[in-house]
Amino acid sequence: IAAFSSNMATQPGGFFYLLKGTSEHLFGETGPHQYAARGVVHVSAKKRDDNTAELSIRMQPGWHVNSDQPVQDYLIPTAVTSGEPESVAIKSVEYPEPVFMELGFERSELSLFEESVSMLVNVDGDDIEGATLPLNVRLQACNDEVCLAPETVSIDVSWVN
């Protein structure tokens, strides 16, 4: 990055792909589609007609994420919060009903989301047209044998009709 910095500064139009790659390297990838848990979880978001965004989490077969209210206090809940900058406030998040089941690594019942789930993110404000709603999705993906490290996925929802 340093080797090309002076050329990028003087001729940014000639270094579009290098600038885009540098931005992704420094700040992470953004947009309405993201992957988590080494690619086994796909997170996407889209604007609906009202002040609502639909957030979808799709897991590969055999994988799940903890629900928004796990039974065990040591498990990481799936949570949706406003990202930076907090230009649009989240009024509420409507999580789906969890599935309760026992798995090999836990003797008691677990509260999970599996396969594909959608949640509605209700935002506050009437003057959000043209804004980008940054969302952070905190989750922990597991299968029957192992839980991966918890992670936060940042995703942007464009509020343009």
Side-chain angles (χ1 to χ4, degrees):
I1 294 171
F4 290 101
S5 63
S6 63
N7 291 341
M8 288 190 291
T10 58
Q11 299 174 327
F15 294 91
F16 174 78
Y17 291 109
L18 185 56
L19 285 168
K20 179 151 178 58
T22 301
S23 176
E24 286 182 10
H25 172 72
L26 295 174
F27 306 111
E29 185 180 0
T30 61
H33 301 280
Q34 297 294 324
Y35 289 90
R38 303 178 188 160
V40 299
V41 176
H42 176 251
V43 181
S44 63
K46 65 180 177 180
K47 175 193 176 295
R48 293 174 41 130
D49 292 336
D50 47 7
N51 282 3
T52 307
E54 182 177 357
L55 180 77
S56 298
I57 301 174
R58 192 175 67 241
M59 290 131 296
Q60 288 186 5
W63 288 87
H64 64 270
V65 295
N66 298 314
S67 76
D68 58 310
Q69 297 180 352
V71 178
Q72 294 77 5
D73 60 353
Y74 58 87
L75 294 177
I76 305 298
T78 297
V80 180
T81 57
S82 181
E84 294 292 332
E86 294 183 9
S87 57
V88 179
I90 293 177
K91 195 185 313 182
S92 66
V93 179
E94 298 174 26
Y95 294 95
E97 289 295 320
V99 173
F100 293 94
M101 64 174 43
E102 292 181 19
L103 295 176
F105 64 88
E106 178 68 40
R107 292 183 185 172
S108 59
E109 201 170 55
L110 299 166
S111 175
L112 312 172
F113 296 143
E114 59 179 2
E115 295 179 15
S116 181
V117 294
S118 293
M119 43 206 80
L120 298 179
V121 181
N122 301 302
V123 297
D124 195 17
D126 296 322
D127 190 28
I128 58 174
E129 185 63 35
T132 297
L133 175 62
L135 297 175
N136 288 330
V137 183
R138 178 100 167 127
L139 54 83
Q140 183 176 27
C142 304
N143 63 18
D144 194 29
E145 298 174 2
V146 66
C147 284
L148 300 178
E151 59 187 295
T152 300
V153 177
S154 297
I155 193 162
D156 291 335
V157 183
S158 178
W159 223 264
V160 178
N161 283 330

